[in-house]
Amino acid sequence: MTAPQATKTAARKRPAPKIRENLPAPNTPEGQLFHYTPYEASPWTPFSGRTLTDMIARREIDYVFNGRDNYLTGGQIVALVEAYTVRPFNKAAQHAA
């Protein structure tokens, strides 16, 4: 007698995130308060949309919650980029202090 064969279930594929067109840049006046989804914000950050979604879920970054969805404002995107910007080391300035 042989053991029954295990069956593979089809992996559920998530639908591709919807990204709106003609979004204002986060550093413009109209983009400062515009609400971007994590996938819409990813081109302006050093992170992918999935990574931004995970960072929001772990409460590592500031975000806006409207009761159903998570968003990032243009100001939050600019602050996130500045937080992860590496400044050059100036050896002369350190010795002068």
Side-chain angles (χ1 to χ4, degrees):
M1 195 187 285
T2 60
Q5 293 292 323
T7 58
K8 290 185 178 179
T9 58
R12 283 187 136 179
K13 290 190 176 185
R14 292 187 173 142
K18 295 179 182 175
I19 297 177
R20 298 169 285 180
E21 295 181 11
N22 301 323
L23 297 173
N27 56 351
T28 60
E30 57 270 1
Q32 285 293 315
L33 297 177
F34 189 85
H35 288 82
Y36 302 86
T37 65
Y39 288 91
E40 292 170 343
S42 65
W44 288 290
T45 67
F47 305 107
S48 68
R50 179 62 194 193
T51 301
L52 287 173
T53 302
D54 291 343
M55 292 171 79
I56 289 171
R58 292 188 304 258
R59 310 291 195 262
E60 294 177 1
I61 58 175
D62 292 336
Y63 67 98
V64 176
F65 180 67
N66 72 350
R68 188 181 87 171
D69 298 316
N70 298 319
Y71 293 99
L72 295 164
T73 65
Q76 290 168 332
I77 294 170
V78 171
L80 178 67
V81 170
E82 289 175 358
Y84 283 90
T85 300
V86 178
R87 305 282 180 216
F89 178 70
N90 189 351
K91 194 173 186 178
Q94 185 181 14
H95 289 297

